[in-house]
Coordinates of all heavy atoms in Angstrom, one line a residue:
T750 N 5.6 228.9 111.4 CA 4.1 228.9 111.8 C 3.9 229.0 113.3 O 2.8 229.2 113.8 CB 3.4 227.7 111.3 OG1 4.1 226.5 111.8 CG2 3.4 227.7 109.8
S751 N 5.0 228.7 114.1 CA 4.8 228.7 115.6 C 4.9 230.1 116.2 O 5.3 231.1 115.5 CB 5.9 227.8 116.3 OG 7.2 228.4 116.0
K752 N 4.5 230.2 117.5 CA 4.6 231.5 118.2 C 6.0 232.0 118.3 O 6.9 231.1 118.3 CB 4.0 231.4 119.6 CG 2.5 231.4 119.6 CD 2.1 231.5 121.1 CE 0.5 231.7 121.2 NZ 0.1 231.8 122.6
S753 N 6.2 233.3 118.3 CA 7.6 233.8 118.4 C 8.3 233.3 119.7 O 7.8 233.4 120.8 CB 7.6 235.3 118.4 OG 8.9 235.8 118.6
E754 N 9.5 232.7 119.5 CA 10.3 232.3 120.7 C 11.3 233.3 121.1 O 11.8 233.2 122.2 CB 11.0 231.0 120.3 CG 10.1 229.8 119.9 CD 10.9 228.6 119.4 OE1 11.9 228.8 118.7 OE2 10.4 227.5 119.6
L755 N 11.6 234.3 120.2 CA 12.6 235.3 120.6 C 12.0 236.3 121.6 O 10.9 236.8 121.5 CB 12.9 236.1 119.3 CG 14.1 237.0 119.3 CD1 15.4 236.2 119.6 CD2 14.2 237.8 118.0
G756 N 12.8 236.5 122.6 CA 12.4 237.5 123.7 C 11.4 236.9 124.6 O 10.7 237.6 125.4
S757 N 11.2 235.6 124.7 CA 10.3 234.9 125.6 C 10.7 235.2 127.0 O 11.8 235.1 127.4 CB 10.2 233.4 125.3 OG 9.5 232.8 126.3
T758 N 9.7 235.4 127.9 CA 10.0 235.6 129.3 C 9.7 234.3 130.1 O 9.9 234.3 131.3 CB 9.1 236.7 129.9 OG1 7.7 236.4 129.7 CG2 9.4 238.0 129.2
N759 N 9.3 233.3 129.5 CA 9.1 232.0 130.1 C 10.4 231.3 130.3 O 11.1 230.9 129.3 CB 8.1 231.2 129.3 CG 7.7 229.9 130.0 OD1 8.5 229.2 130.6 ND2 6.4 229.6 130.0
L760 N 10.8 231.0 131.6 CA 12.1 230.4 131.9 C 12.3 229.1 131.3 O 13.3 228.7 130.7 CB 12.4 230.4 133.4 CG 13.8 229.9 133.8 CD1 14.9 230.7 133.2 CD2 13.9 229.8 135.3
K761 N 11.2 228.2 131.4 CA 11.3 226.9 130.8 C 11.4 226.9 129.3 O 12.2 226.1 128.7 CB 10.0 226.1 131.2 CG 9.9 225.7 132.6 CD 8.7 224.8 132.9 CE 8.6 224.4 134.3 NZ 7.4 223.5 134.6
V762 N 10.7 227.8 128.7 CA 10.9 228.0 127.2 C 12.3 228.4 126.8 O 12.9 227.9 125.9 CB 9.8 229.0 126.7 CG1 10.1 229.2 125.2 CG2 8.4 228.4 126.8
E763 N 12.8 229.4 127.6 CA 14.2 229.9 127.3 C 15.2 228.8 127.5 O 16.2 228.8 126.8 CB 14.5 231.0 128.3 CG 13.8 232.3 127.9 CD 14.1 233.5 128.8 OE1 14.8 233.2 129.9 OE2 13.7 234.6 128.5

Side-chain angles (χ1 to χ4, degrees):
T750 56
S751 64
K752 281 187 175 182
S753 175
E754 295 173 330
L755 191 63
S757 171
T758 56
N759 186 317
L760 184 58
K761 286 186 178 179
V762 172
E763 287 181 350

